[in-house]
Amino acid sequence: RKKGVHMIFAAMLALGWLLGCVGAGGAGLTITLLTVGFAIPIHTAIAVSLSCMTFTVLSGAISHYREGEVIAKLGSAVGIAGIAGALMGTHTAFMIPPEMLSPATAIMLLLTTALLYLQLFHPHLIADYVARNKSSSTGSVFYMRSCAIGLLTGFLSGAFGIGATAFIQISLMLFFGISLYSAIGTTMMIIFPIAAAGGLSYLAGGMMDPPVFVQTLAGLTIGSFIGAKFTHLIPKERLRYLMISMPLIGGLLLLTH
């Protein structure tokens, strides 16, 4: 087991470097690597992925906040609802057999790929809708939309461990008319309480593997830090393709495993 744990650290170090280069979250690829590469049970892999996200998005959220790219009111409203959604999602996942949960997670990763493709390659398709919703997201409409988005994306994160980054970002842009940069920063703030609630729920359910968690977190953190220094070496056009290839590869591997 000790040898396997150290192999997980080495694999996550490489994955973290790649994710750092591309600037992706990589929750889905983490799950895929643990399940396909190391035969970790899918529920445990989701537990580890969610728990790691709690720590990895915190520094990102703080950094974006300092840059003025976090809308605190929106992040708080969606994040609070997201906690409830995450708890519902984790308890739903507890009841899903592993042979059904793996393909369901794979499908969510493929949907993430489609959303990223729309966001990165065809932003003009949603530009008009974004502009129309910017003025209507006030008063009770603001809180209704925040609650709905938080519950849905929190549920997806808790049930499938994918982080739901693309779902949250595009929802914030579509229904609140905010810019991509604000959506990215605010999403970091939203994911933190969702990931924390989901990770604690899996821990309470006895599905966490502490050695695997520690090695995964250490590998991803160190690798991402190093990889981020290489981002500027990658042409922007190629970077977009790399970003959508991450969840696509993860989803296909998980689906065919």
Side-chain angles (χ1 to χ4, degrees), residues 24-188:
L29 270 179
T30 301
I31 295 171
T32 301
L33 185 55
L34 288 173
T35 54
V36 177
F38 295 96
I40 301 295
I42 183 67
H43 288 91
T44 300
I46 291 175
V48 169
S49 177
L50 269 178
S51 299
C52 286
M53 274 196 297
T54 306
F55 295 91
T56 55
V57 302
L58 180 58
S59 59
I62 293 172
S63 177
H64 282 288
Y65 182 80
R66 288 174 175 170
E67 294 294 325
E69 295 169 349
V70 173
I71 303 174
K73 179 182 177 182
L74 178 57
S76 299
V78 177
I80 290 171
I83 293 173
L87 294 176
M88 289 188 289
T90 55
H91 284 85
T92 300
F94 294 165
M95 297 182 288
I96 302 176
E99 60 270 18
M100 293 179 62
L101 188 57
S102 289
T105 302
I107 291 171
M108 295 309 301
L109 287 171
L110 296 179
L111 286 175
T112 298
T113 303
L115 287 177
L116 280 174
Y117 177 78
L118 175 64
Q119 184 175 308
L120 293 171
F121 290 88
H122 299 286
H124 60 280
L125 296 178
I126 63 173
D128 291 340
Y129 195 86
V130 169
R132 287 199 300 270
N133 279 293
K134 188 172 185 178
S135 59
S136 63
S137 299
T138 57
S140 60
V141 174
F142 172 87
Y143 290 103
M144 288 174 61
R145 290 178 179 176
S146 298
C147 184
I149 293 170
L151 287 173
L152 176 60
T153 56
F155 179 86
L156 294 177
S157 292
F160 307 109
I162 60 171
T165 301
F167 293 90
I168 298 173
Q169 286 179 5
I170 204 162
S171 294
L172 295 183
M173 293 168 64
L174 284 175
F175 297 105
F176 295 96
I178 65 176
S179 69
L180 176 60
Y181 287 112
S182 293
I184 292 172
T186 306
T187 295
M188 287 281 191

